[in-house]
Structures are given as C-alpha cells and as structure tokens.
Amino acid sequence: MENKQQELKIELTPEVAAGHYSNLAVISHSGNEFFLDFIAVAPNMPQAKVQSRVIMTPENAKNLLFALRDNIAKYEQTFGEIKRKAPANAPKGNGGIPNPFEA
C-alpha cells in the first residue's frame, strides 16, 4: 500500500493577508493551550489593545518555536545578527515567568 502525502491547499484572504502590526507579544499557557497575544504598543500611550490572539496546543507551540529558530537563523545568515531590545513600556513579568529583557 502506497502512503502518499496529500498536498494542503492554504487560502489567504485579502483581509488576513493585510496582517496586523505587532511590536509586543505576550505568551501565557494553561495545561492544554498556549495563548499568544500580539499587541501594537505606541509611544507615550498607557494602554494598548491586543491586535490578534493565537491559541495553540503545546505540541504546535513547540513546532512554532523550532520553525522560528530555523527562520531566524536563515535570516541572520543573510542579513546579520538581530539585536534584541526591550519595548519601552513592555509589561513587567509574565505570570511568574522571567522577562528576558529585565535585568
């Protein structure tokens, strides 16, 4: 019996293709899901709205982690190292998870 991989056709509507700008992501999790909230923070603004929320299984979140690592490595090979800096008004702490931008 031949085991053929079926091609997945992905539709990208014009509304979704426009995307949402985000300069901050807040990640939280429960026992069954990871929540990724993408936020656009503006200077001198005390509030910011979540632009988009993505909910994933732990397995898919880990797959995303590895895909991002791979893509960042390829990007840096082409364009050079990405320098990290903290958003000016990033939330402090993350549910007990250390913030890599806090010293």
Side-chain angles (χ1 to χ4, degrees), residues 52-73:
S52 183
R53 171 175 272 190
V54 176
I55 304 167
M56 306 178 87
T57 65
E59 295 82 5
N60 285 336
K62 194 165 190 177
N63 288 338
L64 175 62
L65 169 68
F66 287 107
L68 278 170
R69 282 184 180 167
D70 182 54
N71 276 269
I72 288 170

Side-chain angles (χ1 to χ4, degrees), residues 17-28:
H20 293 282
Y21 177 76
S22 172
N23 54 8
L24 176 67
V26 176
I27 302 169
S28 55

Side-chain angles (χ1 to χ4, degrees), residues 20-91:
H20 293 282
Y21 177 76
S22 172
N23 54 8
L24 176 67
V26 176
I27 302 169
S28 55
H29 64 276
S30 69
N32 297 314
E33 296 98 9
F34 276 76
F35 299 84
L36 293 79
D37 290 331
F38 296 95
I39 303 159
V41 178
N44 303 316
M45 297 296 289
Q47 287 186 316
K49 288 186 180 179
V50 173
Q51 300 296 310
S52 183
R53 171 175 272 190
V54 176
I55 304 167
M56 306 178 87
T57 65
E59 295 82 5
N60 285 336
K62 194 165 190 177
N63 288 338
L64 175 62
L65 169 68
F66 287 107
L68 278 170
R69 282 184 180 167
D70 182 54
N71 276 269
I72 288 170
K74 290 175 184 175
Y75 177 95
E76 289 183 329
Q77 286 176 353
T78 303
F79 301 106
E81 182 183 353
I82 300 168
K83 305 290 185 201
R84 292 178 61 188
K85 60 182 178 180
N89 53 353

Side-chain angles (χ1 to χ4, degrees), residues 82-103:
I82 300 168
K83 305 290 185 201
R84 292 178 61 188
K85 60 182 178 180
N89 53 353
K92 302 294 181 210
N94 191 7
I97 299 169
N99 183 338
F101 296 114
E102 292 178 0

Side-chain angles (χ1 to χ4, degrees), residues 9-20:
K9 295 186 181 188
I10 299 172
E11 179 184 353
L12 182 62
T13 64
E15 298 81 24
V16 173
H20 293 282

